[in-house]
Structure formats: C-alpha cells, structure tokens
Amino acid sequence: MRILLIEDDRLIGDGIKAGLGRMGFTVDWFPEGKQGREAIHAARYDAVILDLSLPGEDGLDILAHWRSRGLVEPVLILTARDALEERVKGLNTGADDYLGKPFALEELVARLHALVRRSYREVAPVLTHGLLSYDPAAKAVSLNGENIRLSPKELMLVELFLLSKKNVLSKGAIEEKLYAWGEEISSNAVEVHIHHIRRKLGSGFIRTIHGIGYTLGDT
C-alpha cells in the first residue's frame, strides 16, 4: 500500500519511511507542508500520515484544504500536541485517526492497516479468497493451509488484488501502488511480479484482461 508521509522532523520521517518500508508499505515523504499538500494529487495514496507542526503551513490547514475539495484519503494525524482539545479539533477537521508522539512503529502500522481496510470496505483483519488467506500484519500468505513465501513486492501486489476484488487494475495503477517517487522500475517489472505470483499461487490467481490490465482470478 502506498502512503503519503508529511513530517518535518528528519529523524522521525526517516525512521517512519524506513520502518514502513520494511513492513511492506511504499512511502513518499515530504518534509514541507506545501509540498505535501500538493503531493496528494500526484498519486493514488491509500492513507496519509500528517504531522501538525509543519514549516510553512499547519497540518490542520492542509487537512481542511483537502476535505473542502472532497479528497477522501484516510488521514492519520501524528503530532506532539497531546491536549484533548487538539485531538478533537483534528478529528472534527476530517482526520480519521490520531497518534501522539512518541509512538511505537508497531502501533502506527496497525492503525494504518485498519485505515486501509476501512477505506476498501474490508473489515476482516485477514484477507481471504477461495483457499488463500493473507494476514497483512504478519505478512503471511497460506494456500490450502500451506505457507507460501513471497517477496515484499509480491506481497504488496497480492494485498492490492485482495483489496480490489472485482476491479480491473491497469499496469500504471499497479506501478503507482508498488513504487515510490524516485524508485527505479523496469518496463516489465509488473509482468515479472505477476509471473512469479502465478507460479506460486496458481496460474489463475491473477487474470489478464487484454488491453486493459489485471484482475483477481481463482485460487
């Protein structure tokens, strides 16, 4: 899943980007408010981590700007402002969740998973499709009770298809979810990942819709 991170503290931002990367997220990090505010229009983000105290523009002003324009991406406020009044103000402005600093990476990851599930209208913590099950928190895939090892990008792609049942995903849309800004990508990277997933989970797990893209098939 692709996450937009807007955080001016270099140490915290670097830690979140690296930590979420290890947990299977694609992260675009912007340390300035104005850059982050506009970045949301450049990619299909599954969730946003938004600090409140930003140089140039306050986080709540950014959030209000997004919501006034109908943007519905889930937003988790990350801030050292721990007063009840500030938390209530953030939620009333349109935030979906709130996490105070300092925080544990594990809690941040759990909250992001919950926000993403909710945005895809998926309530179960373990995603299933036929004989296949996937636990996003544990990054564990099993097929007919047998554990299947997948690479990080393959896991991200499996999760994307499980959350996008009945939808057809273009190659470009898949690339947007798997790769952050500046990350190198070969012209056939998506096809290679899909080939490997089919080899491990069955040729019918991902169906090709010729001229359009890919969709979830059978297990």
Side-chain angles (χ1 to χ4, degrees):
M1 300 292 100
R2 190 165 183 175
I3 305 297
L4 172 60
L5 169 63
I6 308 176
E7 166 63 65
D8 68 313
D9 188 302
R10 296 284 177 174
L11 185 61
I12 294 176
D14 187 63
I16 292 175
K17 181 177 174 66
L20 292 184
R22 291 194 298 270
M23 298 300 294
F25 292 89
T26 297
V27 181
D28 292 319
W29 171 29
F30 295 87
E32 295 183 5
K34 185 177 181 180
Q35 288 180 325
R37 184 190 67 188
E38 298 305 317
I40 201 169
H41 301 290
R44 301 177 184 180
Y45 291 104
D46 294 290
V48 180
I49 302 172
L50 176 64
D51 185 31
L52 290 189
S53 300
L54 294 166
E57 188 166 4
D58 187 79
L60 285 182
D61 292 335
I62 294 174
L63 179 57
H65 173 84
W66 287 342
R67 295 310 190 222
S68 69
R69 283 154 178 76
L71 298 178
V72 298
E73 284 82 353
V75 175
L76 184 151
I77 287 179
L78 188 65
T79 181
R81 303 178 192 176
D82 199 30
L84 175 61
E85 182 180 351
E86 291 291 343
R87 297 199 299 272
V88 171
K89 187 176 180 180
L91 294 170
N92 285 338
T93 302
D96 298 273
D97 203 353
Y98 190 107
L99 187 59
K101 301 175 184 178
F103 59 91
L105 179 64
E106 292 80 3
E107 182 177 5
L108 176 60
V109 169
R111 289 174 181 266
L112 287 175
H113 280 308
L115 288 178
V116 171
R117 288 200 309 270
R118 195 180 309 153
S119 69
Y120 280 92
R121 303 184 185 278
E122 176 63 62
V123 296
V126 176
L127 307 176
T128 60
H129 180 64
L131 299 175
L132 181 137
S133 66
Y134 173 59
D135 183 346
K139 299 300 173 187
V141 173
S142 65
L143 180 60
N144 199 20
E146 179 184 355
N147 293 330
I148 307 295
R149 295 188 62 180
L150 300 177
S151 72
K153 293 296 187 188
E154 291 164 9
L155 286 171
M156 293 170 67
L157 193 49
V158 166
E159 182 175 0
L160 176 60
F161 277 106
L162 291 176
L163 288 171
S164 307
K165 292 180 179 179
K166 299 181 180 180
N167 293 335
V168 178
L169 303 174
S170 69
K171 178 180 177 180
I174 293 172
E175 289 175 341
E176 275 198 343
K177 295 294 187 181
L178 297 187
Y179 297 94
W181 295 114
E183 189 174 354
E184 290 188 8
I185 173 174
S186 62
S187 60
N188 66 337
V190 170
E191 290 85 352
V192 171
H193 293 317
I194 289 177
H195 170 75
H196 290 159
I197 289 171
R198 285 170 171 164
R199 181 166 52 84
K200 297 174 183 179
L201 301 181
S203 59
F205 180 72
I206 296 175
R207 290 195 299 119
T208 299
I209 308 299
H210 291 289
I212 302 176
Y214 304 90
T215 190
L216 189 64
D218 302 318
T219 58

